[in-house]
């Protein structure tokens, strides 16, 4: 019976790519917008491992990792204004100075299971000081400790043991397509080379706990 359940999950249709414009003409679909906030940094772990870039994700109320954001009612507002509203609730007052616009839009995916939904993904580069202020003031957010359990930084390095860093992080439980969105961002923002990404994925698949 367990094998049949696994098979049924694997047979479910995967999210498919769709343009932003096309998605807005769909009827009966919910829209969810999320953003990756990131900033370059000169910092080094143990004074020798370059961190290179700070990428923010969050621990959700359900114990899964995801990106800040949420559902947007496109009948009342634009995707971007709805996203900014969600960010204020989840990240607190410091994010009010960050304007997410259509220029920050990256991709959309549509799915029918478990509900009809389009997920829109954005990336926004900040100055390191501004990003750190968002981290610092996130505890003042309306949803802190409720829908949002805390912000986390994504490690972009792989330690000498071949496990620590990004490979271990990829073993976490991610909500929806947020893991694929993270990998997509690493590629499109050119934060890591493709061979580095593939090696981290392979290493994560071999980790046993």
């Amino acid at each position: 019976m367990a094998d049949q359940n696994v098979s049924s999950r694997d047979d479910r249709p995967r999210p498919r790519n769709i343009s932003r414009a096309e998605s807005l003409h769909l009827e009966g679909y919910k829209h969810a917008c999320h953003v990756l906030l990131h900033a370059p940094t000169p910092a080094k772990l143990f004074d020798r491992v370059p961190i290179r870039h700070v990428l923010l994700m969050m621990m959700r109320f359900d114990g899964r990792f995801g990106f800040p954001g949420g559902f947007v009612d496109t009948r009342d507002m634009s995707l971007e204004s709805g996203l900014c509203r969600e960010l204020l609730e989840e990240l607190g007052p410091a994010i009010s100075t960050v304007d997410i616009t259509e220029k920050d839009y990256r991709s959309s995916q549509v799915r029918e299971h478990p509900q009809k939904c389009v997920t829109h993904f954005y990336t926004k580069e900040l100055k390191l000081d501004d990003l750190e202020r968002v981290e610092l003031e996130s505890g003042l957010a309306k949803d802190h400790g409720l829908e949002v359990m805390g912000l986390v930084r994504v490690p972009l390095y792989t330690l000498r043991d071949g496990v620590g860093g990004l490979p271990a992080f990829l073993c976490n439980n991610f909500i929806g397509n947020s893991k694929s969105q993270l990998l997509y961002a690493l590629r499109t923002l050119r934060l890591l080379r493709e061979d580095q990404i593939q090696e981290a994925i392979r290493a994560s698949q071999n980790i046993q706990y």
Side-chain angles (χ1 to χ4, degrees):
M1 182 64 69
D3 291 341
Q4 292 177 352
N5 290 337
V6 172
S7 178
S8 65
R9 288 195 297 269
D10 292 342
D11 291 341
R12 293 173 182 172
R14 294 180 179 274
R16 64 184 186 278
N17 295 329
I18 189 173
S19 73
R20 182 182 186 278
E22 290 172 331
S23 73
L24 294 176
H25 287 91
L26 294 175
E27 295 185 1
Y29 284 75
K30 291 185 176 181
H31 293 263
C33 298
H34 298 87
V35 63
L36 165 63
L37 301 174
H38 63 102
T41 177
K44 292 185 179 181
L45 178 65
F46 308 131
D47 293 324
R48 60 178 176 79
V49 180
I51 294 177
R52 294 191 296 272
H53 233 77
V54 177
L55 280 68
L56 293 187
M57 296 190 75
M58 69 181 193
M59 172 69 77
R60 293 162 36 97
F61 62 93
D62 55 10
R64 297 181 175 95
F65 282 107
F67 292 103
F71 285 106
V72 174
D73 190 342
T74 56
R75 296 171 299 179
D76 299 330
M77 61 188 69
S78 69
L79 293 174
E80 293 74 30
S81 60
L83 174 57
C84 289
R85 182 198 63 188
E86 290 294 318
L87 294 181
L88 185 60
E89 293 181 355
E90 294 184 346
L91 301 183
I95 199 65
S96 62
T97 61
V98 178
D99 188 23
I100 309 295
T101 71
E102 193 172 340
K103 292 182 179 179
D104 304 309
Y105 166 82
R106 291 294 175 266
S107 65
S108 298
Q109 288 190 311
V110 61
R111 58 181 169 84
E112 281 71 36
H113 185 87
Q115 62 179 326
K116 291 184 176 181
C117 181
V118 184
T119 53
H120 305 278
F121 185 55
Y122 296 74
T123 63
K124 184 72 172 184
E125 181 173 339
L126 306 179
K127 294 180 179 179
L128 183 59
D129 289 346
D130 293 333
L131 185 141
E132 290 178 337
R133 186 161 55 252
V134 170
E135 289 181 300
L136 181 63
E137 297 187 14
S138 63
L140 303 175
K142 172 186 173 183
D143 289 340
H144 180 75
L146 299 172
E147 294 184 23
V148 180
M149 306 310 291
L151 295 177
V152 296
R153 294 188 178 195
V154 180
L156 297 190
Y157 47 80
T158 299
L159 299 179
R160 291 177 180 176
D161 62 2
V163 173
L166 184 58
F169 187 83
L170 294 177
C171 290
N172 284 298
N173 195 333
F174 296 84
I175 186 68
N177 59 347
S178 57
K179 182 176 179 179
S180 64
Q181 288 174 333
L182 171 61
L183 295 174
Y184 172 78
L186 295 182
R187 291 184 174 102
T188 57
L189 297 175
R190 298 182 179 180
L191 300 181
L192 290 177
R193 301 191 311 270
E194 182 61 29
D195 63 302
Q196 293 174 315
I197 296 173
Q198 290 300 325
E199 182 56 35
I201 294 173
R202 286 192 294 269
S204 71
Q205 294 169 342
N206 294 326
I207 296 176
Q208 296 182 354
Y209 291 102

